Amino acid sequence: MSTLHSEGPVEVVLVRRHLKLDHLNQLQIELLAEVFDAEPGVAKVVVRKQWLDIDYDAAVLTLDRVIAILEAHGGELSQGWWTAFKAGWYRRREEKLRSRLAEDQES
């Protein structure tokens, strides 16, 4: 889900990512949710058994940063083809959103 909101001079581009996780136990998952809650740009985090649902401002945070945080806490994205496909699509979508924001700021 992507939504572009205009709130005064600052634009917020919220995206929702539904990511399957591997190699995390329940304690790591709970700690990961706390880490993401404190991350700038994160609007909402739900970590369920082996799934991360995260809403964040694509102008502030990127999927690659989300993955780096995940890996720093001992986890990783699922190695399945569907997760890899979605991650690639998410990255391309974020690039387009950031490009559009840059164009809007230049105008």
Side-chain angles (χ1 to χ4, degrees):
M1 173 179 92
S2 328
T3 311
L4 182 63
H5 299 282
S6 181
E7 298 174 5
V10 177
E11 290 189 86
V12 176
V13 183
L14 287 180
V15 294
R16 174 169 292 153
R17 303 298 181 234
H18 182 69
L19 304 167
K20 186 170 184 187
L21 309 177
D22 280 342
H23 308 295
L24 289 174
N25 62 40
Q26 191 60 38
L27 178 59
Q28 288 171 306
I29 290 170
E30 291 170 14
L31 291 173
L32 187 62
E34 291 176 16
V35 169
F36 279 118
D37 277 336
E39 189 70 20
V42 173
K44 181 179 177 184
V45 175
V46 177
V47 183
R48 292 177 296 219
K49 187 175 181 177
Q50 303 310 315
W51 288 95
L52 170 67
D53 290 331
I54 183 169
D55 296 359
Y56 59 87
D57 182 352
V60 176
L61 190 62
T62 66
L63 178 63
D64 290 330
R65 173 75 180 136
V66 169
I67 293 170
I69 292 168
L70 174 63
E71 290 173 349
H73 288 83
E76 64 181 338
L77 287 183
S78 170
Q79 298 300 308
W81 74 269
W82 181 243
T83 301
F85 175 81
K86 284 193 318 185
W89 186 85
Y90 289 157
R91 283 185 182 100
R92 286 188 301 278
R93 183 72 182 131
E94 287 177 9
E95 287 171 10
K96 288 180 183 179
L97 289 170
R98 282 192 294 277
S99 176
R100 189 172 82 200
L101 281 175
E103 288 172 7
D104 289 348
Q105 289 176 353
E106 290 174 2
S107 321

